[in-house]
Every structure is written in structure tokens, then in C-alpha cells.
């Protein structure tokens, strides 16, 4: 029997492609790009922080970004979305594609932790945790976040998925900060990026 989630995903991909063909998606994407807020010296001096919150608050921009993240993504069974804005995009991607979603969390939030990984960020060090009873061995996982900078967050999330026995089939982000080298650290892992800065 056909997987209903796969059918939904195919429909979504076709719709995204049709919109792109009509030029609607590209118009919405262009507007979405203009909604990314740049905040100098946040969270510390010297960092130009890119905040996609205004993009998510705009219905057409949000929809266009979600289409942009999935229209060329590989087949997957489960989304891992990273706290905090990765929760919003990850849930939208999963719902649109008919899969479940797992919130990968900062420390101290989960009642039961399956795995924990420490990593480094553009501005410091951090830890991520995977909730118990979520990722099953053999599942094909898509890792979703808002921004790819150094790649530390995405790589830590991939490591969490692998420790649970899953296969990471790809990564999807709204914005890549190319100067910070995240893409190179992901090696051959398929990467879907909507915007590059
Ligand atoms: O590629 P990297 O260098 O790892 O950086 C990317 C991460 O940095 C930001 O999260 P942050 O840790 O600031 O947390 P937040 O989402 O809670 O703001 C962003 O939302 C990504 O998750
Ligand atoms: N400059 C930046 N803007 C937004 N998120 C980030 N994560 C790491 N660096 C970032």
C-alpha cells in the first residue's frame, strides 16, 4: 500500500514546483528575504545576528520558505527540528510532508534524555539533547534549522540521530551564512538552503 505521507509530500512538492513555475514562489521568496532582520552585535559584540522571526510571521513568506526547504529534499521519515526557531520550521516541514517531528532541545528541558551532545557555536559552546522514545533505529531523518552558520548545531543534531540508530538523509535550513563554513563541515550530506548570506 502506498505511504499516505509520501503522497502528501509529493502533492506538496508538485504544488511548490507549480508555484515556482508561475513565478509566485520566487516573488514570495524575494519578499521573504527582505524580511530577515539583521541585528548587529547580538548576542555579543562583532556578531551580525540574522533573525528570521519576521519571515515566519508573514503567511506567504513562511509558506514560500517551507516549500523552498522541501522541494528538493530527499525522502525522509522523520524531521528533527532544533530549538528554538528550528521547532517552527521543523514542525511546518513535517506537517507538510506527512511525517512526525522531534524537538531537539537545549539542556534541562527534557524529562527523559536519550542522548546528549556538546558542540561549539559562532558565539560559544552549547549542548543539545534528544528526547527518549522518539527516533527509531533505521528511520531516515531530515534535520531542520533556521540558520546554518558554523554547522556545529546541525552536526550535533546529526550525531544525536545517529546515536539513536537513524540515518541522516539530509539537512534543510532557511538561511546559510556561507562565510562561517558550515557547508564544508557537512561534507557530502545533502543540504537544502533557501537563502544564502
Ligand atoms: O551553525 P551554528 O554555528 O551551529 O549556528 C546555527 C544555530 O545558531 C542559532 O541558534 P542559537 O544557538 O543562537 O539558539 P536559538 O535558536 O535558541 O536562538 C541558530 O538558530 C542555529 O540553531
Ligand atoms: N549570525 C547568526 N545569526 C543567526 N543565527 C546564528 N547562529 C550562529 N550565528 C548566527
Amino acid at each position: 500500500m502506498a505511504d499516505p505521507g509520501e503522497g502528501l509530500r509529493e502533492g506538496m512538492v508538485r504544488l511548490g514546483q507549480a508555484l515556482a513555475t508561475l513565478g509566485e514562489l520566487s516573488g514570495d521568496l524575494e519578499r521573504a528575504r527582505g524580511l530577515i532582520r539583521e541585528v548587529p552585535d547580538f548576542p555579543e559584540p562583532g556578531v551580525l545576528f540574522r533573525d528570521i522571526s519576521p519571515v515566519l510571521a508573514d503567511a506567504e513568506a513562511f509558506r514560500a520558505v517551507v516549500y523552498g526547504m522541501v522541494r528538493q529534499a530527499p525522502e525522509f521519515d522523520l524531521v528533527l527540528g532544533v530549538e528554538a526557531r528550528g521547532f517552527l520550521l521543523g514542525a511546518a516541514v513535517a506537517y507538510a510532508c506527512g511525517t512526525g517531528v522531534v524537538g531537539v532541545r537545549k539542556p534541562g528541558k527534557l524529562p527523559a534524555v536519550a542522548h546528549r551532545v556538546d558542540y561549539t557555536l559562532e558565539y560559544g559552546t552549547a549542548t543539545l539533547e534528544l528526547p527518549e522514545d522518539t527516533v527509531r533505529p533505521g528511520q531516515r531523518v531530515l534535520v531542520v534549522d533556521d540558520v546554518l552558520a558554523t554547522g556545529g548545531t546541525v552536526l550535533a543534531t546529526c550525531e544525536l540521530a545517529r546515536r539513536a540508530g537513524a540515518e541522516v538523509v539530509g539537512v534543510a535550513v532557511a538561511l546559510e551564512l556561507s562565510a562561517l563554513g558550515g557547508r564544508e563541515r557537512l561534507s557530502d550530506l545533502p543540504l537544502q538552503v533557501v537563502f544564502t548570506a
Side-chain angles (χ1 to χ4, degrees):
M1 200 179 93
D3 172 8
E6 203 157 293
L8 183 59
R9 178 162 187 274
E10 278 169 15
M12 164 100 182
V13 169
R14 274 200 300 277
L15 180 55
Q17 283 166 345
L19 285 170
T21 307
L22 291 170
E24 292 177 23
L25 184 58
S26 56
D28 285 339
L29 281 175
E30 207 176 304
R31 214 168 52 76
R33 192 189 175 89
L35 292 173
I36 299 172
R37 186 177 172 80
E38 296 194 344
V39 187
D41 300 320
F42 182 87
E44 60 183 48
V47 175
L48 178 62
F49 192 84
R50 267 79 168 205
D51 185 8
I52 66 153
S53 301
V55 179
L56 305 184
D58 181 288
E60 287 76 32
F62 181 35
R63 187 188 58 170
V65 167
V66 172
Y67 285 146
M69 290 173 79
V70 300
R71 69 187 157 143
Q72 290 179 326
E75 292 293 323
F76 58 92
D77 310 305
L78 184 67
V79 171
L80 260 57
V82 187
E83 186 166 355
R85 286 167 297 275
F87 288 174
L88 303 171
L89 287 167
V93 164
Y95 187 78
C97 297
T99 74
V101 60
V102 175
V104 170
R105 304 221 55 177
K106 308 269 167 79
K109 307 282 189 181
L110 292 172
V113 176
H115 300 283
R116 176 180 295 118
V117 169
D118 299 319
Y119 65 105
T120 56
L121 273 168
E122 186 185 2
Y123 34 75
T125 61
T127 301
L128 285 175
E129 295 179 343
L130 182 73
E132 278 277 24
D133 298 327
T134 55
V135 180
R136 294 195 304 274
Q139 282 188 306
R140 298 168 300 175
V141 162
L142 181 73
V143 172
V144 171
D145 204 355
D146 62 334
V147 173
L148 178 73
T150 66
T153 304
V154 159
L155 283 172
T157 306
C158 292
E159 175 62 19
L160 288 171
R162 291 183 187 122
R163 285 194 198 172
E167 178 196 359
V168 180
V169 293
V171 173
V173 299
L175 175 66
E176 174 188 10
L177 304 181
S178 53
L180 292 168
R183 178 181 289 271
E184 290 70 32
R185 289 180 71 197
L186 296 188
S187 311
D188 291 336
L189 202 54
L191 172 64
Q192 317 298 315
V193 167
V194 183
F195 303 118
T196 304

